[in-house]
């Protein structure tokens, strides 16, 4: 299955001469490679669609993270859990947002993925996208209802993360969506103090223009 050998997979599945453990392993191998036709055949054979791999990822989580649009579509259509999550890495949407998987994100949001879900460390899809500087993903998430002024447990916002890392485009997108430039983290830091600390000149100018103090 890992090589996308569809006739062989079909033969194995049709004869039903395969142990559940082997079936699961072959299914996960097909997911890893993103072979849409093979994945579809496994689903028809009744494989557990929300099966967890050793890394605690479901097939949908891995496909979303890897940007396998077709596999994501097939899995969602078959009823995969759109809000499945791993303790450390978060939900399907978070994995896609962090990796800038725009088509996947559209598919997940259309399937009613939870936009404001929080990871164990209080990060969300929006804060992860801001940290990576993915401005189009940021816009999509805000359009879908993500709170632009959401604060992490330490008080940091998406704007602070983007400003600290010098992601000018992300800062611009967040400010245009009415992100508050004067919110403070629990240590007193603001988007502006962070941009100054890391010498991001253009970001500083943009924040000051937006009324940052």
């Amino acid at each position: 299955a890992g090589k996308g050998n569809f006739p062989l997979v079909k033969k194995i599945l049709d004869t039903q001469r395969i142990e559940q453990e082997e079936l699961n392993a072959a299914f996960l191998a097909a997911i890893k490679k993103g072979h849409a036709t093979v994945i579809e055949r496994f689903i028809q054979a009744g494989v557990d669609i929300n099966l967890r791999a050793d890394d605690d990822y479901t097939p949908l989580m891995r496909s979303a993270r890897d940007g396998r649009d077709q596999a994501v579509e097939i899995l969602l259509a078959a009823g995969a859990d759109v809000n499945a999550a791993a303790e450390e890495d978060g939900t399907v949407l978070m994995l896609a947002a962090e990796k800038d998987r725009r088509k996947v994100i559209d598919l997940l949001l259309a399937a009613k993925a939870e936009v404001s879900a929080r990871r164990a460390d209080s990060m969300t899809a929006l804060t992860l996208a801001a940290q990576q500087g993915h401005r189009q993903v940021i816009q999509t998430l805000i359009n879908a209802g993500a709170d632009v002024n959401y604060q992490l447990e330490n008080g940091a916002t998406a704007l602070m993360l983007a400003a600290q890392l010098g992601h000018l485009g992300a800062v611009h997108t967040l400010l245009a969506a009415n992100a508050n430039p004067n919110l403070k983290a629990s240590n007193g830091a603001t988007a502006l103090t962070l941009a100054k600390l890391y010498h991001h000149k253009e970001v500083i100018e943009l924040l000051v223009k937006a009324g940052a103090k």
Side-chain angles (χ1 to χ4, degrees):
K3 290 177 182 150
N5 190 339
F6 182 60
L8 177 64
V9 170
K10 188 174 187 308
K11 191 178 172 189
I12 292 167
L13 293 174
D14 285 346
T15 55
Q16 298 293 309
R17 287 188 196 139
I18 182 166
E19 295 293 322
Q20 192 61 45
E21 210 173 301
E22 285 178 70
L23 184 70
N24 291 348
F27 178 49
L28 292 175
I31 289 292
K32 218 176 234 183
K33 297 283 184 185
H35 296 308
T37 321
V38 178
I39 290 166
E40 217 155 27
R41 190 65 190 88
F42 273 107
I43 292 168
Q44 286 162 7
V47 78
D48 176 7
I49 204 167
N50 293 311
L51 180 71
R52 296 272 175 170
D54 292 341
D55 57 7
D56 202 28
Y57 281 22
T58 64
L60 183 61
M61 290 169 73
R62 179 178 286 281
S63 301
R65 187 200 65 184
D66 295 348
R68 311 272 193 195
D69 308 345
Q70 220 183 333
V72 167
E73 251 177 302
I74 290 164
L75 291 163
L76 286 172
D81 181 3
V82 73
N83 290 312
E87 201 172 331
E88 281 185 27
D89 296 340
T91 64
V92 185
L93 186 63
M94 289 178 202
L95 292 166
E98 192 169 18
K99 295 287 184 184
D100 200 22
R101 308 299 189 191
R102 295 174 212 165
K103 175 79 196 297
V104 169
I105 289 166
D106 289 340
L107 292 168
L108 296 174
L109 291 172
K112 304 285 186 282
E114 173 54 60
V115 181
S116 305
R118 300 175 191 190
R119 213 162 63 172
D121 60 2
S122 79
M123 290 290 274
T124 64
L126 180 65
T127 57
L128 286 163
Q131 189 170 260
Q132 298 298 326
H134 303 320
R135 62 182 303 180
Q136 281 171 278
V137 172
I138 290 167
Q139 189 62 62
T140 300
L141 293 170
I142 291 168
N143 292 348
D147 178 6
V148 74
N149 289 314
Y150 165 78
Q151 290 179 278
L152 302 176
E153 279 170 15
N154 64 4
T157 62
L159 184 62
M160 287 181 209
L161 294 171
Q164 177 178 336
L165 293 159
H167 297 311
L168 186 64
V171 169
H172 188 277
T173 302
L174 289 162
L175 288 171
N178 297 317
N180 183 346
N182 292 311
L183 287 176
K184 288 184 179 179
S186 45
N187 63 359
T190 65
L192 186 60
T193 61
L194 289 165
K196 284 179 174 175
L197 182 65
Y198 291 94
H199 312 293
H200 299 305
K201 191 171 173 288
E202 288 177 291
V203 172
I204 293 165
E205 286 169 8
L206 197 55
L207 288 166
V208 169
K209 206 181 283 183
K213 294 178 177 69

